[in-house]
Amino acid sequence: MITIEEEVQAKMRKAAFKIVSECGVIGGCNVQLAHDPKSGRIIVIEINPRTSRSSALASKATGFPIAYVSALLAAGLTLDEIPYWKEGTMEKYVPYGDYVVLKFARWAFEKFAGIEDKLGTQMKAVGEVMSIGRTFKEALQKAIRSLEIGRSGLGFARNFNALSAHELLHKISVPNSERYFAIYEALRKGVGVDEIHEISKIKEYFLNQLKELVELENEILTYKKRVLPDEMLVRAKKDGFADKYLSMLLEVPEEYIRLHRKVLGIRQEWDVVPVSGADAEYFYSTYNGLGKLSGELAASREKRGTKVKPDGSGGKKVVILGGGPNRIGQGIEFDYCCVHTALALRELGFETIMVNCNPETVSTDYDTSDKLYFDPLTVEDVLSICRHEQPLGVIVQFGGQTPLNIAMELKSAGVPILGTAPEVIALAEDRDLFRKMMVKMNIPMPDSGMARNYDEAIACACEIGYPVMVRPSYVLGGRAMEIVFDHEQLKNYIRVNAQYVSSDAPILIDRFLDNALECEADALADGGHAFVPAVMEHIEYAGIHSGDSSCVIPTVNITEEQTNTIRDYTRRIAGELGVVGLINIQYAIQHGKVYVLEANPRASRTVPLVSKVCNLNMANLAIGLIMSAHTGKKTDLSLMRPAHVPYYGVKEAVFPFNMFPEVDPVLGPEMRSTGEVLGMSDSFGLAFYKALEGSNSILPLTGAVLISVADKDKEPLPEVARRFENLGFKIYSTRGTKDFLVGKGIKAEAIKKLYEGRPNILDAVKNHQIGIIINTPGGSKQSEADDSYIRKSAIRYNIPYLTTLTAALAAAKGIEEKTKKGSENVYSLQEYHKATKGMDPR
């Protein structure tokens, strides 16, 4: 704690000790306190007698493994029985290390239209990064470049530099995700520290640190398109300025900055964080390095006999690049892959070196890999580690998009990339090149085109035919995807997303396969052949992002012929690309024809799903293929057979809509989920029921259902409604839907919309008259706005809601199965796997 006096810290510790002692806590406990620096008053906010989100951060910031020690205490040990590297046993623990740790939250406000970027008592972050530096400035700048938000420094974010001091102060007055970037520009415009402190209540120490960074940056800007003075480059690196950020400020290539550093001998050094209670340690980089271990730590290491493998030895080392902060589109699934990569490499006899900056993950546990570097996943930082360690190569395909973004630059700098070549990954991401490859292979894709302005877009859409899927050819995070139904909506899309449309970055327009069954396949490949263990069927139709859609293994509605076609296409595409390791390909089936939507020659979000349902460790097997290819050995994938799964596994997405009550919780082509759960059973319906239950959406077995659907969804509605009617549910419907259902011989009672008078839908929801809501959004903006209050009220009152009829049908089947079977036998994952038949190629 930089700004809190030792005396105050001691009082806080004493208060916390009293509380946990009085409560009789054994193990981890989180006590939150507040301190008023003016009056000196200390108050307790809350106590959580368990490990909390901050436990992972505190563990990795201090090297004190809270969960591990808590488990030992719960098992009956006492602190004086647990070893401690510094003083003998753990009751003598005191924090070690002269370094600064900074946590910076990762938000995703851009993913939710209409949301207010405002922070308060309700948590809205979707992830976080942790950075370690010798100074606050260094740690702060490392955190910014770790966030994966397209920024490598604090300055020139959005349009803040163009705003007036008054406008910036207005932005700073309310806590928001961009506050520090606005403060940076306000300081640049001469706003005083005292004034910013007065409106933000951020301590003057931190504001003065930002001010010093701004002052140095303004000096750097006077050398645009010139070489920085040596002394100034040294200052900049010690203060945490990234090479990439300096290159932007100076308008020179990043390689120039790197070369200048090399000439001056400015390079990162690595300091150590020792792990208490275990003979282990991990590393962080700094340009303010001590150059050697502190005498205290060095003596302890010698006493314990700890041997660190010599760096630069050229041994069997492999660097694994992690996934960075959790965020929408990239979550714990990739950490799962990275952890299993480390375990598989260790089995094969390789020394594993993990690089990641996310304190919430298992990959940053001290014992997951042989060495852990807690550092940003940037070219600068990873290159320094590789030059220090001299590994056989780097694995980039298991950490999601983060490692892929820097793979080509790493390869250009001479770092060997193991597995699928970065050029292959780039080819698959280039829609035009990939389409040409599909044409050559005679594999169908939806019609598509590119446009650089409104006229070209209209011509392209007319040729393809509405509806179309529109997306920018390149946008950070894959944003701004939309299904467009007519010229007016297309015109509005181009107006809203004008910043993404140019001759260099055209928008992509694909024919949207309406009412198409979507599915996907993960495969293992050795550079020429591929094995597809299972095909996953999406429960929602095409048009819902694959990360948000529920999906099931084995498939329910896909024919054997279609499954064979998908397997054949997957094998051929993987072979043509020369994939080594993992590949995921997404498909859509319309009118019996299988179309390829896209291919991702890397680990996907569904790798853990396939692995756990099919009893096949895909990450482990992929590492075997990658390292076999590196050593020239071959694995015969033809020996493998698709897994026979005699039960069902259903993945359901988990959404953060309860944190954003103003957001319409409707699904679409842009991903919005923050996690997922898995439900397993011997029937599809019950597996879906359990998946929803796992996501905290518990379907009622009796009661009433509200059904209100758009006109486009009325054709398949009778089957859904009839199932609920047969289950004994009372059906409430809005006027149009009610008339349609009655016309089909289904009993339904009319319920008023909000503008039609009282009592209405909202009254029924508040009064708990409705147990489940089925509401599909209309195609027009007006109908979406009209019905959004129904979906928002479902979130507010914690009522299960479904926005697609395919999900509603699955829910009805789930309720039916649950009603029939009642309580189900509980089986462990291992017991499920006993029934699975697959073949391991090793």
Side-chain angles (χ1 to χ4, degrees):
M1 289 187 278
I2 296 174
T3 67
I4 300 178
E5 297 84 356
E6 286 289 339
E7 182 183 351
V8 176
Q9 292 184 42
K11 286 181 180 178
M12 288 181 168
R13 280 196 294 270
K14 187 176 179 181
F17 291 158
K18 276 186 175 181
I19 291 168
V20 297
S21 178
E22 186 66 26
C23 292
V25 174
I26 298 175
C29 182
N30 173 261
V31 181
Q32 294 184 33
L33 304 108
H35 170 242
D36 181 358
K38 289 186 177 179
S39 67
R41 184 186 179 207
I42 297 173
I43 62 170
V44 176
I45 299 172
E46 68 177 8
I47 172 176
N48 296 298
R50 54 171 173 77
T51 54
S52 65
R53 271 190 310 275
S54 59
S55 299
L57 176 74
S59 294
K60 289 164 185 179
T62 62
F64 188 107
I66 293 172
Y68 170 70
V69 173
S70 295
L72 295 180
L73 295 173
L77 273 70
T78 54
L79 287 172
D80 59 357
E81 295 175 306
I82 302 172
Y84 172 40
W85 68 270
K86 189 176 180 183
E87 297 288 349
T89 51
M90 198 66 85
E91 89 280 5
K92 300 184 182 73
Y93 172 83
V94 290
Y96 166 85
D98 185 19
Y99 54 84
V100 176
V101 175
L102 194 143
K103 182 207 88 171
F104 208 111
R106 176 69 154 82
W107 292 278
F109 290 110
E110 75 281 356
K111 287 282 187 180
F112 302 94
I115 193 172
E116 183 182 10
D117 184 349
K118 183 179 179 181
L119 305 180
T121 55
Q122 170 70 64
M123 176 178 161
K124 294 185 177 181
V126 293
E128 63 188 34
V129 299
M130 185 183 105
S131 63
I132 315 176
R134 299 287 300 172
T135 66
F136 172 77
K137 294 177 193 172
E138 183 176 52
L140 175 62
Q141 301 237 61
K142 286 178 74 176
I144 297 303
R145 69 178 187 262
S146 297
L147 283 171
E148 296 285 323
I149 56 175
R151 298 173 193 169
S152 50
L154 284 153
F156 303 99
R158 295 191 183 274
N159 66 333
F160 295 165
N161 183 253
L163 298 179
S164 67
H166 176 75
E167 290 170 317
L168 289 166
L169 286 171
H170 178 70
K171 287 193 74 68
I172 295 164
S173 64
V174 177
N176 60 78
S177 68
E178 301 279 24
R179 196 181 210 183
Y180 288 99
F181 301 99
I183 288 172
Y184 201 79
E185 296 303 337
L187 290 166
R188 196 198 302 275
K189 285 188 163 51
V191 179
V193 165
D194 290 342
E195 188 176 359
I196 295 174
H197 166 71
E198 188 59 35
I199 66 170
S200 68
K201 303 306 178 190
I202 296 171
K203 287 189 174 180
E204 291 94 334
Y205 171 85
F206 301 114
L207 297 174
N208 278 313
Q209 294 282 292
L210 287 171
K211 184 180 179 183
E212 289 175 18
L213 288 175
V214 169
E215 288 169 349
L216 177 54
E217 183 171 313
N218 285 340
E219 285 185 62
I220 292 168
L221 286 168
T222 64
Y223 288 89
K224 270 192 179 183
K225 299 188 177 179
R226 289 189 289 158
V227 177
L228 274 182
D230 296 351
E231 174 272 336
M232 192 175 289
L233 180 59
V234 172
R235 283 171 56 202
K237 296 310 294 181
K238 284 181 177 291
D239 277 354
F241 282 87
D243 287 356
K244 188 172 184 178
Y245 190 61
L246 290 172
S247 76
M248 183 201 80
L249 295 176
L250 297 170
E251 297 179 7
V252 299
E254 185 179 346
E255 291 81 0
Y256 288 14
I257 307 295
R258 201 175 297 141
L259 181 61
H260 191 179
R261 280 199 297 107
K262 185 177 179 181
V263 169
L264 294 179
I266 304 171
R267 56 176 61 91
Q268 289 173 320
E269 294 179 356
W270 286 272
D271 282 346
V272 176
V273 178
V275 178
S276 303
D279 188 11
E281 57 200 9
Y282 46 92
F283 305 88
Y284 69 93
S285 67
T286 177
Y287 284 97
N288 297 279
L290 298 175
K292 59 182 179 180
L293 295 175
S294 73
E296 185 179 29
L297 181 58
S300 171
R301 179 187 272 177
E302 185 176 346
K303 181 180 177 182
R304 289 177 287 145
T306 300
K307 301 290 185 184
V308 175
K309 298 179 180 70
D311 299 321
S313 64
K316 294 175 68 176
K317 299 179 181 181
V318 177
V319 171
I320 306 161
L321 300 188
N326 290 355
R327 63 266 198 198
I328 292 175
Q330 188 152 321
I332 208 72
E333 306 94 336
F334 294 108
D335 191 65
Y336 166 96
C337 292
C338 289
V339 169
H340 278 278
T341 296
L343 298 177
L345 286 167
R346 190 177 288 174
E347 283 179 21
L348 294 171
F350 294 94
E351 181 184 346
T352 56
I353 299 167
M354 185 74 68
V355 185
N356 204 358
C357 55
N358 187 339
E360 302 173 297
T361 58
V362 180
S363 64
T364 51
D365 283 355
Y366 67 88
D367 56 352
T368 294
S369 52
D370 295 305
K371 276 188 182 177
L372 166 64
Y373 285 89
F374 225 114
D375 268 330
L377 289 147
T378 68
V379 174
E380 174 183 349
D381 297 284
V382 174
L383 266 183
S384 291
I385 292 167
C386 289
R387 285 169 181 162
H388 181 60
E389 291 286 355
Q390 294 295 303
L392 289 174
V394 174
I395 291 182
V396 300
Q397 66 174 267
F398 293 92
Q401 195 61 41
T402 298
L404 301 183
N405 291 338
I406 62 173
M408 198 69 82
E409 287 182 77
L410 291 176
K411 184 173 181 180
S412 298
V415 175
I417 304 298
L418 301 177
T420 305
E423 293 86 352
V424 169
I425 296 169
L427 185 153
E429 289 180 344
D430 187 312
R431 304 283 293 183
D432 193 40
L433 289 177
F434 183 70
R435 173 170 296 283
K436 288 175 181 174
M437 191 180 96
M438 293 299 97
V439 170
K440 171 187 163 189
M441 297 177 69
N442 197 30
I443 294 177
M445 287 187 75
D447 296 335
S448 71
M450 292 187 292
R452 291 164 177 81
N453 53 52
Y454 173 67
D455 291 335
E456 287 185 13
I458 289 294
C460 183
C462 287
E463 185 177 346
I464 293 170
Y466 288 107
V468 293
M469 176 78 79
V470 188
R471 73 190 89 186
S473 55
Y474 174 75
V475 178
L476 187 69
R479 288 202 63 237
M481 291 185 288
E482 192 173 316
I483 300 169
V484 171
F485 292 89
D486 54 42
H487 287 353
E488 188 61 34
Q489 204 176 342
L490 182 57
K491 183 178 181 180
N492 184 63
Y493 174 89
I494 292 173
R495 180 184 60 78
V496 171
N497 298 283
Q499 71 270 33
Y500 303 137
V501 183
S502 71
S503 56
D504 294 328
I507 57 171
L508 304 174
I509 302 176
D510 298 291
R511 180 166 71 89
F512 174 62
L513 301 177
D514 206 7
N515 292 319
L517 190 64
E518 193 166 347
C519 47
E520 57 186 297
D522 284 314
L524 294 155
D526 62 6
H529 303 91
F531 164 68
V532 184
V535 174
M536 292 157 277
E537 177 185 337
H538 289 200
I539 293 170
E540 287 83 4
Y541 279 161
I544 306 299
H545 191 284
S546 60
D548 289 351
S549 180
S550 308
C551 70
V552 57
I553 300 173
T555 62
V556 177
N557 299 299
I558 300 175
T559 67
E560 184 178 353
E561 181 183 359
Q562 290 162 351
T563 300
N564 291 336
T565 299
I566 290 168
R567 293 185 188 280
D568 176 56
Y569 287 172
T570 303
R571 286 191 289 262
R572 288 170 57 196
I573 292 169
E576 182 72 17
L577 287 170
V579 171
V580 179
L582 290 168
I583 183 172
N584 170 270
I585 305 181
Q586 293 179 27
Y587 297 92
I589 303 171
Q590 188 185 53
H591 307 312
K593 186 175 181 179
V594 178
Y595 294 86
V596 171
L597 299 180
E598 63 178 34
N600 297 296
R602 55 167 173 80
S604 71
R605 282 183 304 272
T606 49
V607 166
L609 174 68
V610 175
S611 297
K612 290 174 181 178
V613 175
C614 298
N615 189 21
L616 198 72
N617 191 327
M618 292 195 70
N620 184 296
L621 295 171
I623 285 299
L625 295 169
I626 289 169
M627 300 317 295
S628 293
H630 179 73
T631 57
K633 297 178 182 176
K634 283 290 182 183
T635 302
D636 192 352
L637 287 172
S638 65
L639 293 176
M640 295 198 72
R641 296 291 178 268
H644 170 66
V645 183
Y647 47 83
Y648 292 88
V650 172
K651 179 212 86 171
E652 176 58 72
V654 177
F655 299 91
F657 294 125
N658 60 314
M659 297 181 183
F660 307 126
E662 69 271 36
V663 172
D664 184 359
V666 69
L667 305 182
E670 189 168 322
M671 184 173 172
R672 303 168 97 184
S673 60
T674 52
E676 61 193 30
V677 296
L678 172 63
M680 296 178 70
S681 179
D682 59 1
S683 72
F684 164 64
L686 203 49
F688 184 76
Y689 183 95
K690 290 168 72 174
L692 285 180
E693 192 173 26
S695 66
N696 202 30
S697 182
I698 302 171
L699 296 173
L701 302 183
T702 58
V705 57
L706 167 65
I707 302 177
S708 176
V709 302
D711 289 341
K712 64 183 177 63
D713 295 313
K714 283 180 177 170
E715 185 180 342
L717 178 59
E719 182 183 1
V720 174
R722 198 162 277 118
R723 279 183 177 268
F724 276 100
E725 183 181 48
N726 293 339
L727 287 166
F729 277 77
K730 181 175 183 178
I731 298 175
Y732 289 105
S733 292
T734 50
R735 188 172 55 235
T737 304
K738 180 252 182 185
D739 292 343
F740 176 80
L741 290 176
V742 170
K744 297 292 182 179
I746 299 167
K747 292 179 182 178
E749 183 176 317
I751 190 168
K752 292 177 181 176
K753 291 190 175 184
L754 198 61
Y755 60 85
E756 292 177 336
R758 309 284 293 269
N760 55 39
I761 290 173
L762 207 51
D763 295 318
V765 169
K766 286 180 182 177
N767 294 331
H768 305 289
Q769 291 175 241
I770 294 170
I772 183 170
I773 293 174
I774 300 170
N775 174 247
T776 67
S780 71
K781 295 291 180 186
Q782 182 181 353
S783 61
E784 286 181 25
D786 181 43
D787 282 353
S788 68
Y789 74 91
I790 301 176
R791 299 182 286 272
K792 290 175 185 176
S793 66
I795 295 291
R796 183 177 178 185
Y797 293 98
N798 198 28
I799 296 174
Y801 69 98
L802 302 154
T803 60
T804 66
L805 285 184
T806 49
L809 181 59
K813 291 178 180 177
I815 294 170
E816 188 177 339
E817 290 285 343
K818 182 71 175 175
T819 303
K820 282 180 185 175
K821 293 190 175 182
S823 59
E824 186 190 25
N825 290 333
V826 176
Y827 298 107
S828 68
L829 187 61
Q830 291 82 353
E831 287 170 323
Y832 274 115
H833 286 170
K834 284 180 182 177
T836 307
K837 297 175 183 176
M839 187 174 288
D840 188 316
R842 298 172 303 167

